[in-house]
Amino acid sequence: MNLNLENGWQILPIGGDTDTAYMGIKSDQKVFLKRNTSPFLAALSLEEIAPRLIWTKRISTGDTLTAQEWLNGRSLYRSEMGQKSVSDLLYKVHHTPVLKKMLIQVGGKVVTPIDLVRKYFEGLPDDLNQHPLLNKVANYLKDNQPGLKSDFYEVCHGDLNHKNWLLSDKEKLYLVDWESARIADPASDLSMLMCQYVPRKNWEQWLRQYGLEVNRDLWYRIYWYSLINLLLDVKYYHQRGRFTEMNQDILKISELINELNF
């Protein structure tokens, strides 16, 4: 794609669903380029949560282009997601006041439990809507939302797939791909990560490693968000015909509600 940069830049697309990420090469300079990313990236760069922002410019197409430091490294493996470096960086995301202030300033969306329930039911295919287990869980979640006040919401990443954690060749960990960033209950992030990567028997230990004292209210929020995130994943996989992954998440839902004596 022609990004209309000045002469001398070689632009190479990087694989991804959105077709907005590129490698830019000019002489001995190499940068990571992305179209129309959030202005929130500047704050993430300053806090060293995302790779260093080098410049931002508006190009002739009307798009905004950002250039970040190109880092040699790799995504985390699934088996590494329980490490303390991961929980430490996520704690920093959730507890850095300037990030929350900046995300609010650039129009960051507040996402509440009912927003997630509505997202699940919106355009829900009939076979999922009529699935006895999924329907029972979804309606329970709608009627029994966690009560954390929005005053205690923080910046949440919203897509903590292991591929969004970048470990540089200098062993510095970054969190990338912030398109799903929102102001929300931090438990929505924690449960997303734990449900995917932390064995159930280690959940309490991981939460303490993150920095929380585990109590009844926290457990309820973790379970609530685990279930709604799994429902949303089931819907996502169903829409894309990825039925093996969908059924794996339905099994996880069944296991969780059995623990809750649903």
Side-chain angles (χ1 to χ4, degrees):
M1 180 177 182
N2 180 15
L3 297 180
N4 297 302
L5 293 177
E6 61 266 25
N7 292 335
W9 281 97
Q10 181 183 6
I11 308 298
L12 304 175
I14 299 172
D17 294 338
T18 57
D19 190 32
T20 59
Y22 307 87
M23 176 194 294
I25 303 173
K26 182 179 182 182
S27 302
D28 60 350
Q29 185 180 11
K30 183 188 292 186
V31 295
F32 175 79
L33 298 172
K34 197 158 188 178
R35 288 188 293 119
N36 300 328
T37 193
S38 168
F40 184 50
L41 183 61
L44 295 166
S45 170
L46 285 172
E47 295 297 326
E48 299 185 335
I49 291 169
R52 180 171 59 90
L53 181 64
I54 300 173
W55 48 255
T56 299
K57 63 175 66 177
R58 186 170 296 278
I59 55 179
S60 59
T61 61
D63 292 326
T64 298
L65 197 64
T66 57
Q68 289 175 268
E69 178 183 12
W70 182 271
L71 295 172
N72 295 317
R74 61 171 177 84
S75 300
L76 289 185
Y77 303 125
R78 295 181 65 91
S79 60
E80 296 174 313
M81 290 293 290
Q83 293 179 353
K84 191 173 187 299
S85 58
V86 171
S87 56
D88 285 349
L89 185 54
L90 194 55
Y91 185 93
K92 183 176 182 179
V93 169
H94 293 160
H95 294 87
T96 302
V98 68
L99 292 183
K100 184 176 180 180
K101 180 179 179 182
M102 182 62 179
L103 187 54
I104 292 171
Q105 286 179 350
V106 300
K109 186 178 180 181
V110 175
V111 175
T112 66
I114 194 58
D115 292 326
L116 297 175
V117 172
R118 287 171 179 158
K119 182 178 179 181
Y120 174 71
F121 279 112
E122 183 179 3
L124 188 66
D126 286 342
D127 52 340
L128 294 185
N129 194 37
Q130 295 169 11
H131 190 289
L133 173 65
L134 301 181
N135 190 50
K136 177 182 178 182
V137 172
N139 282 295
Y140 176 85
L141 297 181
K142 180 176 68 174
D143 294 337
N144 296 275
Q145 298 167 41
L148 184 71
K149 294 181 179 179
S150 59
D151 293 350
F152 298 99
Y153 284 9
E154 301 292 351
V155 170
C156 291
H157 182 273
D159 183 12
L160 293 172
N161 188 284
H162 67 102
K163 295 179 182 178
N164 290 334
W165 298 80
L166 174 62
L167 183 65
S168 77
D169 56 3
K170 296 181 180 179
E171 298 297 311
K172 170 72 173 174
L173 185 63
Y174 298 93
L175 187 51
V176 299
D177 287 344
W178 284 85
E179 280 72 17
S180 299
R182 76 280 300 268
I183 306 294
D185 184 342
S188 63
D189 261 357
L190 298 175
S191 60
M192 185 181 296
L193 186 150
M194 291 162 59
C195 224
Q196 292 186 70
Y197 303 111
V198 180
R200 174 61 190 88
K201 63 181 181 180
N202 296 336
W203 278 17
E204 183 168 351
Q205 176 187 346
W206 194 90
L207 288 168
R208 293 186 188 281
Q209 173 182 278
Y210 167 87
L212 288 172
E213 287 299 319
V214 179
N215 56 38
R216 185 182 182 89
D217 175 70
L218 175 62
W219 270 130
Y220 184 77
R221 288 159 52 212
I222 292 294
Y223 272 95
W224 195 97
Y225 283 106
S226 293
L227 288 167
I228 193 62
N229 286 330
L230 285 168
L231 285 175
L232 289 167
D233 284 346
V234 165
K235 180 182 176 184
Y236 174 88
Y237 291 136
H238 181 277
Q239 290 171 334
R240 288 155 181 79
R242 293 163 60 178
F243 298 117
T244 298
E245 292 154 299
M246 181 190 79
N247 288 327
Q248 288 172 346
D249 279 347
I250 291 175
L251 180 60
K252 287 181 182 178
I253 291 172
S254 179
E255 291 170 348
L256 284 177
I257 66 169
N258 285 338
E259 285 191 38
L260 290 170
N261 296 317
F262 212 84

